[in-house]
Amino acid sequence: MASNQIDLNELLSFTLKAVKELEGRGVSEAEAYASQIRMVSIGLENNQLVRARSVVEEGIGIRISIGGRIGFAYTSRLEAESVSRTAEKALKLAKAGRPDPRWAGFPEPETIPKVSETYDEEVAEVGVEEAVRLASEMLDSALKTDGRVRVSEGALVFWTVGRAVANSLGVEASEAGTWAECFTSTVAKEAGETTPSCFEFDASRRFRLDLKRVGAEAARLAISALNAGKAEDGKYTVILGQSALLDLLIHTLIPALKADNVHRGKSPLKGRIGEKIASEVLTIIDEGLRAGGLSTWSFDDEGSPSRDTPIIVRGVLKGFLYDHYYASIDGCRSSGNARRGFASYASTPRIEPTNFKIEASQKSPETLMAEVDRGFYIPFLQGAHSSNPESGEFSVVAAPAWKIEGGSLTRPIRALMLTGNIYELLENVSGTASNLRDIGVLVAPWVRFENVGVVGG
């Protein structure tokens, strides 16, 4: 075994020992989750490489129930004595807690599906020296594109993650995954004008980043944002790029699809399964089993199998995202959406999407845009975090944006504001492109919307 590989047998052994120790203390409901994360990263800042890092983090989190009273504790030391002390802490917290009358126990064992393209030995083997060389390629590509470009920030990161979970009902699962991610953020300066930041990215579970393209495209975007004008207020056709879609959806629609928010009365979609809530153009599936998906695992962070979950099909709401707790309340199966941050042993599971996929069409991006007489192309958004997920209201800034006239990009716009409601926006989807890309938890093409409220800068 290579020195930087993760020992999954060891991780699983720690979880099993923790569960058995608690059972020996009379605890009938126990769960242990262990993870090890290895990261190699290089930062970019002010046209230079900065902060070369190689980090290893590991630990175990222990969750128990005593009559519905939950206790949780964790440690960053994977040693027998530390794990034993952590189990004792979780036990004390459970004894001091209040019972949850809706607690239905931990998940029972189920068949774990196979997933593909989620681990690459080449990613796992990357060291700091190679990462520096690769990051230099990305930086040089941006700076050589045009002398007016400055790289304000960026990063190249390689992750190797191992995780294991076990519980007192017999769940025993372990898995390793890899990620390679990069981005470059640029500005362009000319004649006293400085553009807003523009960025490009790439991400994969395998060793196949196009670093030179990322640097060059970030630079090209910044140059194309020079000599920007202003937008006039009004209703326009708008095409949102993948980054803009991610920022908007993660703060508006996605929270409303989580079963916990539905039960707490914080989702306007409560009671609307089977209703039309969006344009027939729109289909969204949470693809937990997506080959090579950035959020693909064969099981979630409490041991339930990952699944593909239809969310919206041709505009009709089909389902919500579940963990085991809320699935038990609703009498259904977990959708495999229990997540602990980025494989974090230091937190209990919460409901999160996996690969939230908007179905693409056969239209090229150029064809999708050619059908727009008057509108804007918006690759980035700012301020989406201030949206109201309970109502769907949003007011976000696009800086920069590009004006579309007669089916073509005509000039950059320094900044404009989009205002509206996410559910009205979904009803006004008029098309998607074919350029499907993975970014964070989102898998999406460009999406075109009609009658979007624009306030000029």
Side-chain angles (χ1 to χ4, degrees):
M1 177 179 294
S3 61
N4 58 346
Q5 276 191 328
I6 289 174
D7 189 338
L8 292 177
N9 290 330
E10 183 180 43
L11 285 179
L12 185 60
S13 175
F14 274 111
T15 64
L16 291 170
K17 288 177 181 177
V19 169
K20 289 180 180 179
E21 179 173 336
L22 285 164
E23 289 174 340
R25 300 185 187 188
V27 176
S28 59
E29 292 187 82
E31 171 200 79
Y33 176 93
S35 64
Q36 184 180 91
I37 299 174
R38 299 185 178 191
M39 179 191 74
V40 174
S41 68
I42 309 296
L44 280 64
E45 190 175 300
N46 295 323
N47 292 347
Q48 296 183 0
L49 301 183
V50 296
R51 296 185 303 276
R53 300 175 64 204
S54 179
V55 177
V56 177
E57 181 181 0
E58 62 183 15
I60 188 170
I62 298 172
R63 186 167 54 145
I64 66 174
S65 169
I66 302 176
R69 293 174 294 175
I70 308 301
F72 174 76
Y74 68 90
T75 177
S76 60
R77 299 180 64 183
L78 279 180
E79 301 172 354
E81 184 178 345
S82 182
V83 172
S84 181
R85 288 198 301 266
T86 302
E88 181 64 29
K89 289 179 183 178
L91 184 59
K92 289 181 179 179
L93 289 169
K95 290 179 178 179
R98 294 182 178 181
D100 181 349
R102 299 191 297 181
W103 176 256
F106 294 111
E108 295 185 356
E110 295 185 66
T111 300
I112 302 298
K114 292 183 179 180
V115 294
S116 61
E117 300 181 36
T118 57
Y119 185 88
D120 187 342
E121 190 69 37
E122 195 171 359
V123 174
E125 294 290 340
V126 171
V128 170
E129 184 176 343
E130 184 177 7
V132 167
R133 179 183 63 80
L134 294 169
S136 295
E137 289 183 5
M138 183 169 66
L139 176 61
D140 291 345
S141 179
L143 296 179
K144 290 177 180 178
T145 298
D146 195 294
R148 294 169 290 177
V149 170
R150 180 172 66 86
V151 174
S152 52
E153 63 177 323
L156 172 62
V157 187
F158 296 94
W159 304 86
T160 305
V161 176
R163 54 201 273 276
V165 61
N167 70 29
S168 50
L169 294 177
V171 165
E172 297 181 19
S174 62
E175 190 172 15
T178 55
W179 288 260
E181 304 173 321
C182 67
F183 81 94
T184 303
S185 182
T186 59
V187 296
K189 294 184 177 182
E190 183 179 56
E193 177 190 4
T194 301
T195 67
S197 292
C198 299
F199 82 94
E200 184 54 87
F201 68 94
D202 199 2
S204 176
R205 301 295 293 270
R206 305 175 75 181
F207 192 87
R208 56 184 182 194
L209 300 181
D210 193 343
L211 295 158
K212 292 182 179 179
R213 183 199 63 82
V214 169
E217 180 63 12
R220 187 198 67 78
L221 282 170
I223 292 300
S224 71
L226 285 168
N227 303 312
K230 293 184 178 181
E232 296 180 357
D233 297 359
K235 295 284 189 176
Y236 292 88
T237 301
V238 169
I239 295 176
L240 294 183
Q242 289 89 350
S243 177
L245 284 167
L246 175 64
D247 286 343
L248 184 61
L249 294 178
I250 206 158
H251 294 292
T252 54
L253 176 62
I254 289 175
L257 295 168
K258 300 178 182 181
D260 53 346
N261 288 331
V262 174
H263 273 269
R264 292 166 184 159
K266 294 184 176 183
S267 169
L269 298 178
K270 183 177 182 178
R272 300 193 63 188
I273 296 291
E275 292 185 19
K276 186 176 182 297
I277 65 165
S279 163
E280 292 181 359
V281 172
L282 189 67
T283 291
I284 300 174
I285 299 173
D286 190 63
E287 291 193 343
L289 301 174
R290 178 175 172 78
L294 297 182
S295 295
T296 297
W297 290 103
S298 63
F299 58 92
D300 73 5
D301 287 340
E302 48 186 13
S304 295
S306 294
R307 311 183 195 282
D308 291 343
T309 305
I311 302 299
I312 297 172
V313 178
R314 293 185 292 278
V316 176
L317 180 64
K318 292 294 186 178
F320 297 123
L321 305 176
Y322 281 95
D323 62 359
H324 177 72
Y325 179 88
Y326 284 97
S328 299
I329 293 173
D330 281 356
C332 62
R333 299 170 73 190
S334 168
S335 58
N337 288 96
R339 301 282 168 163
R340 303 175 191 245
F342 188 62
S344 174
Y345 59 85
S347 64
T348 55
R350 59 181 183 269
I351 299 173
E352 297 292 349
T354 57
N355 304 293
F356 196 77
K357 180 185 174 185
I358 299 175
E359 293 290 343
S361 74
Q362 298 300 312
K363 288 184 180 179
S364 68
E366 294 78 14
T367 300
L368 188 76
M369 187 177 296
E371 297 170 348
V372 179
D373 181 58
R374 179 172 170 267
F376 297 95
Y377 165 60
I378 296 173
F380 321 117
L381 288 177
Q382 301 170 16
H385 64 279
S386 62
S387 303
N388 186 337
E390 294 186 35
S391 68
E393 299 293 327
F394 64 85
S395 180
V396 292
V397 174
W402 280 263
K403 193 171 185 178
I404 304 171
E405 294 177 300
S408 300
L409 296 178
T410 56
R411 66 175 303 181
I413 303 298
R414 183 166 184 82
L416 56 80
M417 180 177 290
L418 302 182
T419 61
N421 182 284
I422 189 62
Y423 302 104
E424 294 176 4
L425 199 67
L426 296 180
E427 290 175 355
N428 289 325
V429 173
S430 62
T432 62
S434 59
N435 57 340
L436 205 65
R437 295 187 71 184
D438 294 59
I439 174 172
V441 298
L442 181 68
V443 183
W446 285 3
V447 179
R448 190 178 64 208
F449 303 88
E450 305 296 331
N451 301 313
V452 181
V454 171
V455 179

